[in-house]
Amino acid sequence: MRESETDAEAGRGAGSGDHGAATGACGGEPERINPPHLAPPTGFSHAVRATPGTMVFLAGQTALDGSGRIVGDGIVEQFERALTNLLDVAAAAGARPSDLAKLTVFAVDVADYRRHARDLGAVWKRLVGSDYPAMAVIGATRLWDETALVEIEGIAVVR
């Protein structure tokens, strides 16, 4: 199965190349799988098949700075800091952004998250690139830090 030209041009598909079951991932990278009969993914992959490696479980990260204070007034600023924190933790464990296989985003205001989806996508592409892990966004009444708007946790597979 191949990502359609329309999906690739619109940036809705994740990854590139052949997504068939027998092909495996190129160069040991996780394989992004987006069946053409499902709705085209926007900012996520329907599935990620990880190549053999060590699984790294990444604890939820918010927009905490080094002194333990939440920084950023809005969802975009907090998402950027939380994602940066997650990537820093992943790097400390030996994982690269392309090793991310699964992420869960907890948002206290999912409607606000959706309103800023384009800006959040730009942050993602700048920090991670154009490959997306399997992802979910879940609404939360509140997070551990009362002023946090978003928290991101994940799983990476380090080769």
mmCIF file of all heavy atoms in Angstrom, residues 12 25 35 56 75 97 102 129-130 133 145 159:
data_model
loop_
_atom_site.group_PDB
_atom_site.id
_atom_site.type_symbol
_atom_site.label_atom_id
_atom_site.label_comp_id
_atom_site.label_asym_id
_atom_site.label_seq_id
_atom_site.Cartn_x
_atom_site.Cartn_y
_atom_site.Cartn_z
ATOM 1 N N ARG A 12 -0.953 14.927 5.083
ATOM 2 C CA ARG A 12 -1.805 14.163 5.988
ATOM 3 C C ARG A 12 -1.240 12.806 6.298
ATOM 4 O O ARG A 12 -1.520 12.254 7.329
ATOM 5 C CB ARG A 12 -3.208 14.035 5.406
ATOM 6 C CG ARG A 12 -3.923 15.355 5.391
ATOM 7 C CD ARG A 12 -5.295 15.155 4.868
ATOM 8 N NE ARG A 12 -5.203 14.723 3.474
ATOM 9 C CZ ARG A 12 -6.035 15.089 2.540
ATOM 10 N NH1 ARG A 12 -7.031 15.880 2.815
ATOM 11 N NH2 ARG A 12 -5.892 14.668 1.315
ATOM 12 N N ALA A 25 10.502 -1.797 7.806
ATOM 13 C CA ALA A 25 10.876 -0.396 7.779
ATOM 14 C C ALA A 25 12.233 -0.249 7.124
ATOM 15 O O ALA A 25 13.094 -1.101 7.237
ATOM 16 C CB ALA A 25 10.902 0.158 9.205
ATOM 17 N N PRO A 35 -3.459 2.663 6.393
ATOM 18 C CA PRO A 35 -4.237 1.991 5.348
ATOM 19 C C PRO A 35 -5.079 2.992 4.550
ATOM 20 O O PRO A 35 -5.710 3.882 5.128
ATOM 21 C CB PRO A 35 -5.135 1.029 6.139
ATOM 22 C CG PRO A 35 -4.431 0.826 7.439
ATOM 23 C CD PRO A 35 -3.750 2.130 7.727
ATOM 24 N N VAL A 56 11.514 2.307 25.377
ATOM 25 C CA VAL A 56 11.737 3.330 26.396
ATOM 26 C C VAL A 56 10.387 3.981 26.673
ATOM 27 O O VAL A 56 9.754 4.514 25.763
ATOM 28 C CB VAL A 56 12.761 4.390 25.914
ATOM 29 C CG1 VAL A 56 12.934 5.480 26.966
ATOM 30 C CG2 VAL A 56 14.093 3.741 25.583
ATOM 31 N N ILE A 75 -1.739 27.231 24.890
ATOM 32 C CA ILE A 75 -1.560 25.821 24.546
ATOM 33 C C ILE A 75 -0.352 25.610 23.639
ATOM 34 O O ILE A 75 0.394 24.648 23.802
ATOM 35 C CB ILE A 75 -2.854 25.224 23.922
ATOM 36 C CG1 ILE A 75 -2.736 23.714 23.733
ATOM 37 C CG2 ILE A 75 -3.182 25.873 22.593
ATOM 38 C CD1 ILE A 75 -2.927 22.929 24.967
ATOM 39 N N PRO A 97 14.104 11.593 17.860
ATOM 40 C CA PRO A 97 12.689 11.860 17.561
ATOM 41 C C PRO A 97 12.063 10.814 16.646
ATOM 42 O O PRO A 97 10.905 10.447 16.833
ATOM 43 C CB PRO A 97 12.727 13.239 16.896
ATOM 44 C CG PRO A 97 13.913 13.903 17.507
ATOM 45 C CD PRO A 97 14.937 12.786 17.662
ATOM 46 N N LYS A 102 4.755 5.847 19.989
ATOM 47 C CA LYS A 102 3.412 6.115 20.520
ATOM 48 C C LYS A 102 3.473 7.309 21.445
ATOM 49 O O LYS A 102 4.350 7.394 22.298
ATOM 50 C CB LYS A 102 2.917 4.877 21.286
ATOM 51 C CG LYS A 102 1.629 5.071 22.083
ATOM 52 C CD LYS A 102 0.417 5.086 21.178
ATOM 53 C CE LYS A 102 -0.880 5.092 21.956
ATOM 54 N NZ LYS A 102 -1.485 6.406 22.069
ATOM 55 N N GLY A 129 9.963 16.702 12.977
ATOM 56 C CA GLY A 129 10.015 16.390 11.555
ATOM 57 C C GLY A 129 8.647 16.005 11.047
ATOM 58 O O GLY A 129 7.626 16.331 11.649
ATOM 59 N N SER A 130 8.624 15.284 9.933
ATOM 60 C CA SER A 130 7.346 14.972 9.293
ATOM 61 C C SER A 130 6.841 13.561 9.567
ATOM 62 O O SER A 130 5.786 13.184 9.082
ATOM 63 C CB SER A 130 7.448 15.207 7.785
ATOM 64 O OG SER A 130 8.454 14.372 7.245
ATOM 65 N N PRO A 133 4.228 9.527 15.202
ATOM 66 C CA PRO A 133 3.955 8.259 15.880
ATOM 67 C C PRO A 133 2.456 7.997 15.904
ATOM 68 O O PRO A 133 1.659 8.857 15.509
ATOM 69 C CB PRO A 133 4.488 8.504 17.295
ATOM 70 C CG PRO A 133 4.348 9.975 17.498
ATOM 71 C CD PRO A 133 4.560 10.597 16.144
ATOM 72 N N ASP A 145 0.094 19.564 37.600
ATOM 73 C CA ASP A 145 0.382 20.983 37.822
ATOM 74 C C ASP A 145 -0.853 21.769 37.402
ATOM 75 O O ASP A 145 -1.264 21.709 36.250
ATOM 76 C CB ASP A 145 1.596 21.421 36.999
ATOM 77 C CG ASP A 145 2.853 20.680 37.405
ATOM 78 O OD1 ASP A 145 3.324 20.913 38.530
ATOM 79 O OD2 ASP A 145 3.343 19.869 36.599
ATOM 80 N N ARG A 159 16.929 1.529 18.656
ATOM 81 C CA ARG A 159 17.617 0.421 17.973
ATOM 82 C C ARG A 159 19.045 0.315 18.432
ATOM 83 O O ARG A 159 19.697 1.240 18.789
ATOM 84 C CB ARG A 159 17.586 0.635 16.467
ATOM 85 C CG ARG A 159 16.183 0.527 15.921
ATOM 86 C CD ARG A 159 16.071 1.002 14.501
ATOM 87 N NE ARG A 159 16.559 2.354 14.261
ATOM 88 C CZ ARG A 159 15.946 3.465 14.639
ATOM 89 N NH1 ARG A 159 14.821 3.391 15.288
ATOM 90 N NH2 ARG A 159 16.439 4.620 14.374
#
